[in-house]
Amino acid sequence: MSFVRTTSAFAGATGLLALAACTTAGGTSGAASSSAAAGGPIAVQATDTQCVVTTTTAPAGTITFQIQNTGSKVTEFYVYGAGDRIVGEVENIAPGLSRELKVEITEPGTFTTACKPGMVGDGIRAPFTVTGSAQPGSADQKVAKAITDYQAYVAEQSTELLTGTEAFVTAVKAGDVSKAKALYTPARVPWERIEPVAESFGDLDPKIDGREDVVEEGLPFTGYHRLEKDLWVDGLKPDSAAIADQLLADVTTIVEKAKGVEFTALSIANGAKELLDEVATTKITGEEERYSHTDLADMKANLQGSQSALEVLRPVITERQADLASALDQAFTSINQALDQYQKGTDYAPLTELTPDQIKDLTVKLDALSEQVAKVSAVVEAGAGGTPTS
Amino acid sequence: VTEPRSSESQPATVVSRRGLLGASAGAALAGAAVGFGGGYATRAAAAPVPDAAPATAPASLDASIPFRGEHQAGIVTPAQDRMHFVALDVVTKDRALLVDLLKKWTRAAERMTVGAEAAPGGVVGGGPYGVPQDTGEAYGLPASGLTLTIGFGPSLFDDRFGLADRRPAALQELPAFRGDDLDPARSGGDLCIQACANDPQVAVHAVRNLVRLGFGVVSVRWSQLGFGRTSSTSTSQATPRNLFGFKDGTRNIKAEETQAVDDFVWVAPSDVPGAASWMAGGSYLVARRIRMHIEVWDRTNLQDQEATIGRTKAVGAPLGKEQEFDEPDFALQGADSEPAIPVDAHVRLAHADNLNGVRILRRGYNFTDGSDGVGHLDAGLFFLAFVRDPGKQFVPMQRALAEKDVLNEYIEHNGSALFACPPGVREGGYWGDALFA
């Protein structure tokens, strides 16, 4: 999934299907007014061979099913949307038990009900029709604001990227190795915060951020990492100044392009996840900064970029799945604390100084965070109907 | 995992030696085709061939084994052919998160053991923007006899979760044995999950999905794949062979020996008085990764191989006897007036008669983890045993073997762990609920 869609995919966020579905076991739901729209629960009699749904049509709104298992096997009841997407389900209905399922369907259409005796297979299916007119989702305004906020963040980081790179390039061209080394990481921090945006611009990314192995693809080795190698390993070369000039020109181009990118809630959420994938595949392995070993600073910037992207989505996440918002906060706190142990002044310890146990500790916390962040896209992409917990 | 596909083994005996695969003619043929690693083609072989099934066929390889019950499944359950074992460390200090994970695991485990997705609609039901809650590689496959068995290691009972006073007395770290070359990265763990199935894809899928549910709460410490059972735990199963080519575990405790199972496998309430009573009905799992120096073994002549084990290679009879299940006669002398079963033979040292009557339930698997970088297979036996009291059963047995067994010239223990497997999960309960109550 690309981080950037230059054509708006925002339309996908307006046609809400299922915001929530929950099973209630005598709960204290505050949805009394909306459940009235459905006109009482729809009885479902589930046996080992049959799934009798007493009414196969209902108006949009909260629809309540009351499932009675009169068979001999543990059963489940599902309401599916297109492509077998689950709108609501209730599992583990033991023989003799009766369970309730509430689904909120805000758009008319044809759905599928299914009982699944024994919990396996496609289930005993039947069509189910929802009538009436679509109701707008209440989160649309929040999604629109999130997109505006993220565009502003990208613009701000782009400006910092340009400023930092100008200073770095100036030091390289002046032949001031120690100053250039000091300016290398600060120049790259904004890049690492919005990296998925940059990566969407085809050949600009390898020119700016490619590693030495780009030569295998027939490309010249240029950009930040060529200068990194010059500064930390080989010493500045006759063409280093020209490489620096080209880097600044390429960064200038990409900054202009980045400021014009249109985002969707989904692309922002996917970008937040991709930044963590970057940490897992290139930072914690030491691949990215193989000469300067400044990977931990990159990792911090990736985490900041991911956290900022999720921060703009927070109102949407909180409205739809508040416990995910707090789980994200906890996971970010945990990995940030672990990483900040290695901070030295404004820099981080070289990755090569960490022990295998310390690397494992960071990996464990990164896995924990990534599992939570992976859940965000379904939550913010209204209509995706994050699988409800029951 | 690389499977040895020896073409030198004798197909004529392959067909009959794996009773489990005898469930269908197709399975038996598949076993013959791949030689000693027989039954590797379980996936294809598992397709029912009703007409070919003998009258005495054991339960279908596809069948579902009940998850709940008095005892955990995967202990006296007839040993399945494949295993994925994983040891995990808890990475949180939050007891509530651990309990929540045990509940999530129980739900997913029960679902997967009936062949269902790890979560309802887990493969595609989350819609195009949801991350699938089930990884999908077992989608559409039968339950394949999957059992999932959990255990708690001694290290779980430190001060992190308030469990120190609930540690059963028998749950002590295993002592060092002579010849051990243990790798910490293959040893220990706060928790373990043993996944056994007749289809490796089903076992691996189960572990993968349980590990995934645990990110942030647990982290995998080590794991081991096993590709062929090395023990029979039911009289309905033929005795399989280990990678030395010998029938292994002929004298193993079988599920049908209910008195022996009670005496040697299940923890009795009187064993665990007071705060450790949660363990009643459970069993201790001993895991040992035993690397076999198989290239050295393969250059050993038949007579020495048989003398080392104390059984004949073809039939598995105790030396000096005719049939596999003949009682070994340790007093019997050969023509040279030496004991027919040498004093340092494996079968003599491991026999209950020479261990004050102590027995264990073995449930191990052959493994091959690729090669070792110098041209030898990294292969051996992943030894698993379930016992009522490791200090009274496994420890004296292993001590005797470690000191005298001539087999030690060909093996090396490089991984070790002990876990307390709680009793079975009752209706409405979760893995380990009595411990965390």
Side-chain angles (χ1 to χ4, degrees):
Chain A
M1 185 65 62
S2 168
F3 184 79
V4 175
R5 288 187 191 169
T6 46
T7 58
S8 173
F10 185 45
T14 59
L16 295 193
L17 281 181
L19 278 177
C22 57
T23 61
T24 56
T28 55
S29 168
S33 57
S34 56
S35 66
I42 297 169
V44 179
Q45 189 175 338
T47 71
D48 293 349
T49 53
Q50 283 193 302
C51 185
V52 183
V53 182
T54 49
T55 309
T56 57
T57 181
T62 300
I63 302 169
T64 305
F65 296 90
Q66 187 73 39
I67 305 101
Q68 171 86 33
N69 184 3
T70 57
S72 64
K73 295 176 179 173
V74 174
T75 194
E76 301 176 330
F77 180 74
Y78 291 75
V79 179
Y80 291 112
D84 276 3
R85 181 180 56 77
I86 295 175
V87 177
E89 54 85 13
V90 52
E91 60 183 302
N92 202 22
I93 313 172
L97 275 190
S98 177
R99 297 280 298 275
E100 188 178 79
L101 172 69
K102 285 183 189 232
V103 294
E104 188 180 343
I105 297 181
T106 54
E107 187 177 77
T110 301
F111 296 80
T112 302
T113 55
C115 298
K116 213 176 266 190
M119 299 156 69
V120 290
D122 287 340
I124 304 160
R125 294 176 172 230
F128 187 89
T129 306
V130 173
T131 59
S133 56
Q135 301 167 7
S138 62
D140 290 0
Q141 292 299 320
K142 293 189 173 83
V143 168
K145 172 141 189 338
I147 290 167
T148 311
D149 289 351
Y150 193 65
Q151 270 163 339
Y153 176 75
V154 170
E156 172 196 300
Q157 294 302 315
S158 300
T159 303
E160 269 188 44
L161 171 64
L162 190 54
T163 311
T165 304
E166 278 168 352
F168 170 65
V169 162
T170 303
V172 169
K173 292 178 70 180
D176 188 340
V177 171
S178 64
K179 188 174 181 186
K181 282 169 127 177
L183 291 173
Y184 175 74
T185 295
R188 288 180 51 77
V189 161
W191 171 271
E192 294 292 345
R193 286 179 182 148
I194 56 171
E195 194 166 9
V197 182
E199 284 185 343
S200 64
F201 297 114
D203 57 351
L204 270 175
D205 177 55
K207 285 176 76 179
I208 295 170
D209 197 36
R211 264 79 82 185
E212 195 163 6
D213 44 83
V214 295
V215 298
E216 303 296 330
E217 300 165 35
L219 297 170
F221 181 33
T222 61
Y224 289 119
H225 293 299
R226 161 59 206 278
L227 295 174
E228 178 201 2
K229 190 180 185 194
D230 290 356
L231 290 168
W232 268 272
V233 180
D234 295 338
L236 292 174
K237 293 178 174 178
D239 67 341
S240 295
I243 295 283
D245 280 336
Q246 185 61 47
L247 171 63
L248 185 57
D250 290 338
V251 166
T252 305
T253 305
I254 210 166
V255 159
E256 281 314 304
K257 285 175 179 265
K259 287 178 178 173
V261 170
E262 290 181 37
F263 297 96
T264 66
L266 180 64
S267 69
I268 297 169
N270 282 337
K273 175 186 171 290
E274 285 168 27
L275 281 161
L276 301 183
D277 297 345
E278 284 283 334
V279 176
T281 56
T282 66
K283 305 307 191 307
I284 217 157
T285 58
E287 183 206 316
E288 179 87 32
E289 307 287 1
R290 60 186 72 167
Y291 313 112
S292 64
H293 307 301
T294 54
D295 303 88
L296 292 183
D298 289 4
M299 182 170 163
K300 182 71 180 180
N302 285 156
L303 287 169
Q304 287 170 335
S306 181
Q307 198 164 9
S308 297
L310 294 170
E311 194 57 34
V312 306
L313 293 170
R314 176 186 291 275
V316 185
I317 299 169
T318 303
E319 175 173 301
R320 296 181 182 170
Q321 203 171 319
D323 60 344
L324 178 57
S326 57
L328 288 166
D329 288 343
Q330 281 177 18
F332 269 112
T333 301
S334 169
I335 195 168
N336 279 325
Q337 282 175 351
L339 182 57
D340 291 350
Q341 299 174 70
Y342 309 115
Q343 200 169 8
K344 293 181 175 175
T346 54
D347 286 333
Y348 283 82
L351 182 69
T352 44
E353 285 183 8
L354 270 60
T355 66
D357 281 350
Q358 288 172 325
I359 299 273
K360 184 180 178 188
D361 175 56
L362 289 174
T363 306
V364 163
K365 289 175 167 122
L366 177 65
D367 279 334
L369 173 63
S370 301
E371 285 291 323
Q372 299 302 326
V373 172
K375 296 174 183 167
V376 173
S377 65
V379 173
V380 300
E381 183 65 6
T387 303
T389 53
S390 58
Chain B
V1 177
T2 308
E3 281 71 28
R5 297 192 170 205
S6 160
S7 58
E8 289 104 49
S9 64
Q10 303 125 336
T13 60
V14 173
V15 174
S16 61
R17 72 190 175 194
R18 298 185 71 87
L20 194 63
L21 288 175
S24 78
L29 284 172
V34 299
F36 173 63
Y40 185 65
T42 305
R43 184 69 239 124
V49 187
D51 294 345
T56 56
S60 157
L61 296 178
D62 291 353
S64 169
I65 293 170
F67 176 77
R68 291 178 194 266
E70 184 183 357
H71 305 291
Q72 287 198 74
I75 300 175
V76 297
T77 306
Q80 303 93 325
D81 231 40
R82 306 293 160 146
M83 179 213 67
H84 191 183
F85 189 97
V86 63
L88 309 111
D89 286 331
V90 184
V91 295
T92 179
K93 289 181 178 169
D94 186 340
R95 178 181 161 124
L97 281 179
L98 178 57
V99 170
D100 180 58
L101 175 62
L102 289 166
K103 291 175 180 172
K104 286 179 178 163
W105 270 354
T106 302
R107 172 197 186 222
E110 183 169 22
R111 295 186 60 85
M112 291 190 285
T113 54
V114 299
E117 296 153 278
V123 175
V124 299
Y129 307 111
V131 174
Q133 292 188 62
D134 181 295
T135 55
E137 71 271 29
Y139 195 42
L141 296 180
S144 306
L146 175 67
T147 56
L148 294 161
T149 312
I150 197 167
F152 303 125
S155 54
L156 189 70
F157 297 83
D158 58 13
D159 57 4
R160 286 172 295 169
F161 308 107
L163 298 174
D165 65 333
R166 313 211 64 184
R167 174 167 164 163
L171 186 64
Q172 301 295 335
E173 298 286 357
L174 294 174
F177 297 101
R178 184 187 292 184
D180 277 2
D181 184 19
L182 301 183
D183 177 356
R186 296 187 197 274
S187 301
D190 289 337
L191 302 168
C192 76
I193 297 170
Q194 172 196 270
C196 298
N198 293 314
D199 182 339
Q201 184 103 336
V202 169
V204 169
H205 168 264
V207 166
R208 176 180 174 187
N209 281 268
L210 295 176
V211 166
R212 193 177 169 213
L213 282 170
F215 282 117
V217 183
V218 294
S219 170
V220 174
R221 183 178 175 89
W222 55 271
S223 68
Q224 182 69 53
L225 283 166
F227 67 84
R229 68 182 171 89
T230 62
S231 302
S232 300
T233 53
S234 166
T235 54
S236 67
Q237 296 180 298
T239 311
R241 289 175 191 263
N242 62 26
L243 292 186
F244 285 142
F246 276 77
K247 290 192 176 186
D248 201 350
T250 294
R251 296 278 309 171
N252 200 26
I253 296 175
K254 307 292 199 297
E256 292 80 0
E257 299 176 71
T258 53
Q259 188 61 49
V261 168
D262 283 341
D263 289 346
F264 297 113
V265 180
W266 303 130
V267 174
S270 58
D271 298 343
V272 280
S277 62
W278 60 271
M279 186 56 185
S283 189
Y284 297 93
L285 183 164
V286 179
R288 305 280 290 183
R289 186 181 189 275
I290 305 174
R291 166 85 188 269
M292 292 174 166
H293 299 298
I294 57 174
E295 292 81 3
V296 178
W297 176 262
D298 293 346
R299 294 174 196 125
T300 303
N301 70 42
L302 178 62
Q303 179 175 290
D304 282 356
Q305 289 187 3
E306 292 186 335
T308 298
I309 302 294
R311 289 185 180 275
T312 63
K313 198 166 191 180
V315 176
L319 294 183
K321 297 295 184 95
E322 300 295 320
Q323 301 298 323
E324 180 191 354
F325 291 97
D326 288 348
E327 276 299 319
D329 182 348
F330 296 114
L332 193 68
Q333 292 194 331
D336 56 0
S337 300
E338 292 294 320
I341 298 174
V343 294
D344 50 5
H346 182 73
V347 75
R348 177 187 290 271
L349 296 168
H351 196 277
D353 288 357
N354 301 314
L355 290 167
N356 297 320
V358 162
R359 298 173 69 190
I360 60 173
L361 175 75
R362 295 184 49 181
R363 217 174 183 285
Y365 287 84
N366 295 321
F367 73 82
T368 305
D369 289 346
S371 55
D372 65 358
V374 294
H376 300 154
L377 289 177
D378 181 2
L381 169 68
F382 187 64
F383 171 97
L384 290 171
F386 289 91
V387 295
R388 179 175 166 186
D389 186 332
K392 292 178 181 164
Q393 295 167 264
F394 175 74
V395 171
M397 179 179 293
Q398 181 55 27
R399 210 163 251 153
L401 292 173
E403 282 168 16
K404 297 183 193 146
D405 195 352
V406 69
L407 194 58
N408 292 333
E409 291 175 23
Y410 306 97
I411 62 175
E412 172 184 289
H413 289 236
N414 58 21
S416 177
L418 176 67
F419 299 96
C421 301
V425 184
R426 308 298 180 127
E427 283 308 319
Y430 64 91
W431 263 343
D433 50 4
L435 172 58
F436 289 91

